[in-house]
Amino acid sequence: MNEINDLTTDQWSEVLVQALPYFKNWCGKVVVVKYGGNAMLNEELKEAVMDDIVLLSTIGIKVVLVHGGGPEINHMLERVGKESKFIDGLRYTDAETMEIVQMVLTGKLNKDIVGILLQKGGNAIGLSGVDSGLLRAVKTEKDLGFVGDVTEVNPQILNSLLNGGFIPVVSTVALGEDGDNARYNINADTAAAKIAVALHAEKFVQLTNVPGVLRDVNDPSTLIKRIEKTAIGSLKATGIISSGMIPKIDCCLTALEGGVPRTHIIDGRVPHSLLIEMFSDRGIGTMIY
């Protein structure tokens, strides 16, 4: 923030002039943002993200904010004396845990985010994947309890809200397929990618806890700024894309293969990283195209 405050008048003018063509280019376009990680836990970063979302909406960009909430779910499970169980890094969600997941994601976090956006002048509405059948899912093949894979996205309610000038804020609890009244816990990155495809979004952005894809995970200066999707296989084979980055990249591929032109993995720990990516020549993080 100090660097921003220290800008001279000429530097401020240059920033605004550089941003103007981007304002024009993105006006009326749909952008899906997956929100989580440190940007969700740190109050200062949360404020910055909400400021960014309101600004994007104010200048006419149609923003959908999709959020997770793993740390908050863990905290609530601890409070009720329920042990968190993970299988290969994925949360096992029994019936009791699913009730808590739904309560935390749709009842607390979703409305907290909507409240902040409203305070900042945004016109936000909170939804879950259950509302209007937005997300339909089936139980995942791996036995994780009530964890599901998205089978269908019904974007009608999102399109109606976007066309009405609202910012939809989506929590990723899904309804079972027709005839199945079960609720399923859905990975937020995956859900966001599929929502981006269903909305024919121009951009899909994941706010993460890392600078992007690094050639050396211990050296931020090795950031790879642009990756063509045909290169992803070789980057996985050489171990450059590995561990927790693999599912994030796979979500970008899901969006790309569904017709979304641009996907990004950006560092949510950098204040206003979303604006830097959207409105500057330098960009931030890694673009997969």
Side-chain angles (χ1 to χ4, degrees), residues 18 22 225 266 273 276-285:
Q18 185 184 120
Y22 292 100
K225 294 186 176 182
I266 67 176
S273 57
I276 296 170
E277 171 52 46
M278 294 286 296
F279 300 135
S280 72
D281 293 339
R282 74 183 234 197
I284 194 169

Side-chain angles (χ1 to χ4, degrees), residues 57 81 101 138 153 165 204 219 277 280 282:
S57 179
V101 166
V138 294
V153 178
F204 168 52
D219 184 358
E277 171 52 46
S280 72
R282 74 183 234 197

